[in-house]
Amino acid sequence: MQEDSSTQNLLAQIKKTQAKERGKRGRLKIFFGYAAGVGKTFAMLEEARELKIEGYDVVIGYLEPHDRPETAQLAEGLEQLPPKRVQHQGLQVNEFDLEAALKRKPTFILVDELAHSNVDDQKHSKRYQDIAELLNAGINVYSTLNVQHLESLNSVIDNLLHVAVTETVPDYIFDNADEIKLVDLEPKDLTMRLQLGKIYSTVHARKALNNFFKMNNLTYLRELALRKMTMRLAHRKKASERLLVCISGAPSNRRVIRTAAQLAHAFSCELSGIYISDDQDETAHSQQLTENIRLAELLGAKVATLYGAQKGELIAEYAKEKEISKIVLGASQTTWLEELWREDIVEQLNTLIPEIDKFVITEKKHRKKRKKLFSVSLNQVANLSDLLKTFAILTGCSFLGLLLKEIGSNDVNIVLLYILGVMINALVTHGKRYSLFYSFAMLLLYDFLFTQPLASFQSSPNNLLTFIVMFLVAFLSSSWTTKLRKQGILDAQRAYRTEILLKTNRLLQRSPSLAEIYQVTGEQLRELLKCPVCIFPGNQENLSMPHFFGDGKDNQATTITTTEQAIVLWVLRNRKRAGFGTDTLPKADYLHLPLNDPEEPRYALAVVSLGLKKSVHPDSFTLDLAYSICDECEQAVLRIKNLKQKNEGEALARQEKLRANLLRGISHDLRTPLTTISGNADILLHSEYELEETQRKELYHSIYNDATWLINLVENLLAMTKVDEGSLKVKRRPELVEDIFQAALSHLSANAVKHTLETKIESQMLILDTDGQLITQVLINIINNAIQYTPTGSKIILTANSTANGRAQISIYNDGPHIDEQAMTKIFELFYSGNSIYAGRKGMGIGLALCKSIIAACGGRLEVENVQPKGVRFFFTLPLWRDKDE
């Protein structure tokens, strides 16, 4: 437990040190107001001048040219970057030069109009994205913003003030700003300034007073700004509840999403979004759906996609799983017939999850354009195919019906045959319109072929009820068959999604290295998207060697250009998506996705590049699955990184423990012999002639023995240091076993004379291919160990025999006591020292650990065993020397 605690403390200390070494992100300060002219830019320039006086490096990045003399006067004396000239619709337009600002890299930079949309959208479409890049570069930014430009309030401004605000900022920019300064002015004073021409020219001021700058509008906007500031202060506390917004592909759903974001902000809730795909009208809403999902993500929601026809049950299951406390839904305006036909999701949710609050936002009904049934467009070939299938089924049912009539069958069987046909039609066609067409055509054919008078549409009024029942049964049957078919498709998609994610997860969990993780991820993405994939591992703020996965059409070496690699580098350093299908560098060929580490704010772990522009753009299901695979890859990379950090921390902890034990052991073991040597030398120095000859010899032997013990200790320490550093070199040459034995026996401790030593060598010409000096040290350590732990007069036998596989086995046997089982498992561990009544001075526990390392370096394995009835045997094998000419 003590070791685990020290390891955890060391890991925490390492993380703390790494956190201090990370680069600091810039701070964002927003000067916030309710309308143009309240003094936001003026207040921003005043603070900038104060910072300049205090000695800070302050630069004006961009100021909107409002032709206000007071503002222009404040800007004088401050360094200002020249604007970027951009061609737009035949005119030269000034824009903020992001690259120049990054190159200049001041401490503070002023960038006006946070919600501005860039005309030059080669890199970013919005100015707040430019500012985010400045912040990531460590530059502090001052900017301005009006309340009507907040995304969550867009629908409110549109409905109440009837003002269409096209330039908006995601609320998370406002919420996550380091500082917000409210610049306030009474509406009366603002209108006065407008009339005096201090905001706009006289002509523009007159128009503004009659439109946006009406007193009621200004009052409402001011209250909205004050309320937003109050809510921001309240929102600082940690979210304790979760709010779920239901997303659809309807244009009016944007209002629902914005309302949900406001509620989440007001209640301090964590915002989540859910979209349920039932494969119905998804193609028509795909672009709008993408925009709605992107809006929800901009407002801070984590959006999940589910697949199924039972929307109420799916929402309820998701809400229970995620512990949702509030749900926001949209309810479109419907007719009584639509209400009768459709299932009421709100009522279902009230039944399934009555404990969760529901907020229903009424959506405006948007009239959809009717699609033409026939079209020569290549995109409608599938519709023509379904129409031909419908005609074929009608023809087949009519033909079989005529056969049944010829054999005298009942008309009921013919009706059932047509109803069977409508179910088959629902299975083989796509869309309800074909089933509806079949139901009408079935009535006409039945009337024409099987009712009196035949071959005419003049049927008896008595058949009217039959026709109505036939139509209803046919259409309802087709509807249920279509639902079952779609549910089967969705179940198959869900099974496919689960299977591929489980397979990916299983393969990633088995991958022991980053290279294998990237290999699995790249192959899975290429197989799924059928497009080229490239994964760039991050090396801090730079790119490492990429992993290419071609689509089989393009050469892997040319699948990604230098321009794309520059975008990859930007994604790595900014930890945000970019490229195809995003608002950042949308003209790129690849979609670049970062794999982020939540503990590393400066750069991404890696970047996954998907060549979507070079292939058929995948549907939302496939793209969502690709994002999930990237998430799995991110978790796997984090697992490897955390495991590496843990191993490094544990290695440092083990090294620290080893160092402490080594110092403690050395200081303890050196003290006793040095004290003995010092004491004996002092006696000899001051009382040499007063001692008898035998007494002096005892002191000499004592000094010699202690000095020899110290020499052996130092030799072992030096050898173990070489083993740990990997610098232990084995010099292989032919060595006689007899010479090695004699060298070892001549360097034993002084107590060796108290034991009986024997050598048994199979042949005097037994030659080893090894390092004789190292093997001699091994034998000395093992024999001295036997001398120390066995009683006086014990027998120690050294034997050497050749084996059948061209090796020699050397064993050291002593007839002392057995080693107990617990000691047997630890005997070769570093710093382990056993206890024995025969042992004099206790060693440091280095000798046997060193022997095991030396034998392993020489190509053998040192082992130990108890011999019956008594005794212990150490043994190892080494290769025999063979002449190369043999």
Side-chain angles (χ1 to χ4, degrees):
M1 292 298 291
Q2 222 174 15
E3 182 179 353
D4 293 341
S5 177
S6 62
T7 303
Q8 294 298 327
N9 292 336
L10 187 60
L11 287 172
Q13 187 176 0
I14 292 170
K15 289 185 177 181
K16 189 176 180 180
T17 305
Q18 291 175 345
K20 289 182 179 179
E21 293 175 352
R22 290 180 183 134
K24 292 183 179 179
R25 189 175 184 271
R27 293 175 62 84
L28 173 62
K29 182 172 183 176
I30 298 176
F31 293 81
F32 187 57
Y34 67 89
V38 297
K40 302 182 300 297
T41 307
F42 191 89
M44 179 174 67
L45 287 170
E46 279 188 328
E47 284 206 20
R49 294 183 72 88
E50 292 176 2
L51 290 171
K52 184 72 174 177
I53 293 172
E54 292 175 6
Y56 289 101
D57 183 14
V58 183
V59 171
I60 297 176
Y62 186 82
L63 288 181
E64 287 293 340
H66 293 302
D67 296 329
R68 298 168 187 167
E70 296 175 354
T71 304
Q73 186 178 359
L74 270 180
E76 292 179 0
L78 293 173
E79 180 185 348
Q80 187 166 355
L81 296 178
K84 186 178 181 181
R85 302 288 290 174
V86 181
Q87 191 78 16
H88 179 64
Q89 296 181 354
L91 299 174
Q92 289 286 334
V93 182
N94 290 336
E95 285 282 4
F96 170 56
D97 194 341
L98 175 62
E99 300 303 326
L102 291 171
K103 186 177 180 180
R104 173 64 176 78
K105 200 171 184 181
T107 307
F108 291 88
I109 188 168
L110 280 61
V111 184
D112 208 5
E113 299 293 343
L114 182 63
H116 175 75
S117 296
N118 295 331
V119 174
D120 180 19
D121 60 351
Q122 292 293 324
K123 189 169 188 180
H124 297 305
S125 60
K126 294 288 187 178
R127 183 165 290 171
Y128 69 81
Q129 295 174 320
D130 295 338
I131 290 176
E133 189 165 350
L134 292 173
L135 295 173
N136 288 334
I139 303 173
N140 302 304
V141 181
Y142 282 7
S143 190
T144 59
L145 179 68
N146 285 329
V147 68
Q148 64 267 26
H149 293 294
L150 287 172
E151 182 64 57
S152 64
L153 302 176
N154 188 268
S155 299
V156 175
I157 301 295
D158 187 17
N159 292 334
L160 296 179
L161 304 185
H162 305 290
V163 176
V165 180
T166 56
E167 295 182 328
T168 58
V169 172
D171 284 43
Y172 73 85
I173 299 290
F174 180 86
D175 295 333
N176 296 334
D178 298 282
E179 187 177 352
I180 304 288
K181 182 173 182 178
L182 179 64
V183 183
D184 193 29
L185 188 66
E186 287 287 343
K188 290 182 180 179
D189 296 336
L190 180 59
T191 54
M192 182 65 69
R193 292 192 64 197
L194 192 62
Q195 291 169 357
L196 294 174
K198 292 186 176 182
I199 301 176
Y200 301 129
S201 63
T202 307
V203 178
H204 288 91
R206 206 175 288 121
K207 290 182 180 179
L209 286 169
N210 295 328
N211 293 285
F212 184 79
F213 281 79
K214 293 179 181 178
M215 186 58 66
N216 291 337
N217 289 358
L218 295 178
T219 302
Y220 178 75
L221 288 172
R222 187 186 184 212
E223 292 176 355
L224 206 59
L226 293 172
R227 192 184 310 140
K228 191 67 180 176
M229 286 294 296
T230 305
M231 290 173 61
R232 181 178 187 270
L233 294 174
H235 191 65
R236 289 289 182 175
K237 64 181 182 179
K238 188 177 181 181
S240 58
E241 295 185 280
R242 292 183 175 88
L243 187 145
L244 179 67
V245 57
C246 298
I247 300 173
S248 70
S252 57
N253 187 245
R254 299 176 70 83
R255 177 169 171 261
V256 177
I257 295 171
R258 293 190 180 105
T259 304
Q262 293 182 60
L263 288 172
H265 201 278
F267 291 118
S268 297
C269 293
E270 180 183 328
L271 182 61
S272 301
I274 183 174
Y275 168 67
I276 300 177
S277 173
D278 61 354
D279 199 32
Q280 184 177 5
D281 296 332
E282 187 172 345
T283 305
H285 289 318
S286 58
Q287 183 177 357
Q288 184 64 55
L289 174 63
T290 303
E291 293 177 1
N292 291 352
I293 292 177
R294 187 176 300 174
L295 173 62
E297 291 175 342
L298 282 176
L299 292 174
K302 296 179 180 179
V303 181
T305 303
L306 302 180
Y307 301 89
Q310 304 299 325
K311 295 186 177 182
E313 294 180 2
L314 289 173
I315 294 173
E317 290 178 7
Y318 185 85
K320 291 178 182 178
E321 180 70 24
K322 296 296 181 180
E323 298 181 353
I324 301 296
S325 55
K326 294 175 177 59
I327 299 178
V328 179
L329 308 97
S332 59
Q333 299 175 3
T334 58
T335 63
W336 67 270
L337 185 59
E338 289 175 330
E339 291 179 358
L340 181 65
W341 175 256
R342 294 181 181 177
E343 296 178 330
D344 192 344
I345 295 180
V346 178
E347 291 186 2
Q348 291 184 43
L349 294 179
N350 286 333
T351 303
L352 295 170
I353 42 176
E355 69 280 2
I356 297 180
D357 299 331
K358 293 93 181 171
F359 298 88
V360 181
I361 311 300
T362 304
E363 302 179 21
K364 294 180 180 179
K365 187 176 181 180
H366 290 258
R367 191 173 292 178
K368 300 177 185 178
K369 294 181 180 179
R370 295 184 178 180
K371 291 185 178 182
K372 295 180 181 180
L373 184 61
F374 297 98
S375 175
V376 295
S377 173
L378 293 176
N379 295 330
Q380 300 295 327
V381 172
N383 293 345
L384 181 61
S385 174
D386 288 343
L387 194 62
L388 292 175
K389 291 177 184 177
T390 304
F391 277 117
I393 294 172
L394 281 169
T395 303
C397 290
S398 301
F399 178 74
L400 291 175
L402 290 173
L403 290 179
L404 290 176
K405 188 174 182 181
E406 285 294 327
I407 62 177
S409 178
N410 195 336
D411 289 346
V412 175
N413 295 330
I414 299 174
V415 172
L416 293 175
L417 183 63
Y418 274 112
I419 292 175
L420 176 63
V422 78
M423 297 177 71
I424 296 174
N425 182 73
L427 287 174
V428 299
T429 59
H430 302 81
K432 292 182 178 180
R433 56 181 177 270
Y434 302 106
S435 297
L436 185 63
F437 173 76
Y438 181 96
S439 300
F440 277 114
M442 173 192 70
L443 296 180
L444 296 176
L445 287 172
Y446 182 77
D447 184 23
F448 187 81
L449 296 175
F450 301 103
T451 62
Q452 298 294 333
L454 298 176
S456 72
F457 295 105
Q458 299 176 359
S459 179
S460 170
N462 296 330
N463 294 329
L464 180 61
L465 181 60
T466 303
F467 292 157
I468 293 175
V469 172
M470 282 181 63
F471 175 79
L472 291 176
V473 171
F475 186 70
L476 290 175
S477 300
S478 66
S479 298
W480 282 108
T481 304
T482 303
K483 282 186 177 182
L484 291 174
R485 178 176 175 273
K486 288 181 178 179
Q487 187 62 47
I489 295 173
L490 293 173
D491 289 342
Q493 288 181 340
R494 190 182 306 163
Y496 172 72
R497 175 189 176 90
T498 304
E499 179 183 356
I500 196 169
L501 285 179
L502 286 175
K503 180 181 177 182
T504 304
N505 183 269
R506 185 170 60 251
L507 292 174
L508 291 176
Q509 290 295 329
R510 293 177 180 175
S511 302
S513 65
L514 291 177
E516 293 190 26
I517 288 174
Y518 295 140
Q519 182 74 21
V520 169
T521 304
E523 290 177 352
Q524 291 290 96
L525 289 173
R526 180 183 59 186
E527 183 69 23
L528 176 69
L529 300 173
K530 302 295 187 291
C531 72
V533 177
C534 185
I535 300 179
F536 291 84
N539 182 13
Q540 292 188 349
E541 295 186 2
N542 297 308
L543 298 174
S544 298
M545 186 64 66
H547 302 265
F548 290 103
F549 305 91
D551 59 354
K553 301 176 183 178
D554 299 28
N555 188 351
Q556 288 188 0
T558 60
T559 51
I560 192 161
T561 62
T562 306
T563 304
E564 294 287 342
Q565 291 187 29
I567 302 175
V568 173
L569 190 60
W570 184 91
V571 173
L572 180 76
R573 294 175 178 176
N574 290 271
R575 295 162 46 91
K576 295 180 180 178
R577 295 179 185 177
F580 182 76
T582 67
D583 292 332
T584 302
L585 302 163
K587 297 181 181 179
D589 293 336
Y590 281 71
L591 170 62
H592 304 282
L593 307 173
L595 306 181
N596 293 327
D597 181 358
E599 296 184 359
E600 176 50 71
R602 286 191 304 165
Y603 47 83
L605 295 168
V607 178
V608 179
S609 302
L610 308 175
L612 299 180
K613 198 172 183 179
K614 295 186 177 182
S615 62
V616 179
H617 190 64
D619 54 22
S620 59
F621 172 82
T622 307
L623 203 56
D624 184 56
L625 190 54
Y627 292 153
S628 299
I629 291 176
C630 290
D631 290 340
E632 292 285 345
C633 176
E634 180 180 289
Q635 295 301 317
V637 173
L638 285 174
R639 173 178 58 83
I640 294 294
K641 180 183 177 183
N642 293 334
L643 183 61
K644 182 179 179 182
Q645 290 179 349
K646 181 181 178 182
N647 291 337
E648 290 176 353
E650 290 177 349
L652 287 174
R654 286 195 301 269
Q655 186 176 1
E656 181 65 22
K657 182 182 178 182
L658 180 65
R659 186 182 68 85
N661 289 338
L662 183 61
L663 290 175
R664 185 169 57 250
I666 290 175
S667 61
H668 178 270
D669 287 349
L670 291 181
R671 186 185 297 114
T672 302
L674 287 175
T675 302
T676 304
I677 292 173
S678 176
N680 292 338
D682 182 70
I683 293 173
L684 290 172
L685 183 64
H686 294 91
S687 306
E688 179 181 3
Y689 299 105
E690 297 176 5
L691 299 174
E692 296 180 0
E693 183 68 21
T694 56
Q695 291 177 326
R696 287 200 301 271
K697 285 186 177 180
E698 287 180 3
L699 292 176
Y700 294 147
H701 279 292
S702 177
I703 292 173
Y704 175 77
N705 291 336
D706 286 333
T708 303
W709 189 88
L710 286 174
I711 291 171
N712 291 333
L713 173 64
V714 172
E715 290 291 336
N716 285 336
L717 285 174
L718 291 175
M720 182 55 74
T721 303
K722 291 181 180 180
V723 171
D724 289 339
E725 293 177 352
S727 59
L728 180 66
K729 296 181 180 179
V730 178
K731 299 177 182 178
R732 298 182 181 277
R733 55 179 176 269
E735 297 279 359
L736 278 171
V737 174
E738 185 176 3
D739 292 344
I740 294 174
F741 280 9
Q742 289 180 359
L745 293 175
S746 63
H747 291 83
L748 297 178
S749 66
N751 291 327
V753 296
K754 299 177 182 179
H755 298 263
T756 303
L757 279 78
E758 297 181 6
T759 59
K760 296 180 180 179
I761 304 175
E762 181 184 87
S763 170
Q764 292 183 346
M765 297 305 295
L766 195 63
I767 304 175
L768 300 177
D769 184 17
T770 188
D771 190 326
Q773 186 175 355
L774 292 178
I775 302 304
T776 298
Q777 188 173 359
V778 169
L779 293 177
I780 291 172
N781 285 340
I782 296 176
I783 296 172
N784 282 338
N785 194 70
I787 292 171
Q788 185 178 5
Y789 287 92
T790 57
T792 302
S794 297
K795 184 182 292 185
I796 300 173
I797 304 175
L798 279 71
T799 60
N801 299 297
S802 60
T803 61
N805 55 356
R807 300 177 71 85
Q809 185 181 70
I810 296 175
S811 63
I812 304 95
Y813 166 79
N814 68 78
D815 59 357
H818 284 169
I819 301 173
D820 60 65
E821 294 182 1
Q822 183 178 2
M824 190 75 77
T825 59
K826 298 180 179 180
I827 195 170
F828 293 116
E829 292 182 4
L830 191 61
F831 301 127
Y832 175 78
S833 182
N835 296 316
S836 174
I837 59 174
Y838 309 109
R841 182 185 297 120
K842 190 174 181 180
M844 291 179 57
I846 295 177
L848 290 180
L850 176 62
C851 293
K852 189 174 182 66
S853 299
I854 290 175
I855 296 299
C858 293
R861 182 179 177 182
L862 178 61
E863 298 182 62
V864 60
E865 65 179 3
N866 289 321
V867 179
Q868 300 299 332
K870 67 175 183 176
V872 177
R873 186 171 75 101
F874 289 84
F875 60 94
F876 56 89
T877 61
L878 292 173
L880 290 171
W881 180 78
R882 289 286 183 267
D883 194 337
K884 296 181 180 179
D885 296 333
E886 291 182 4

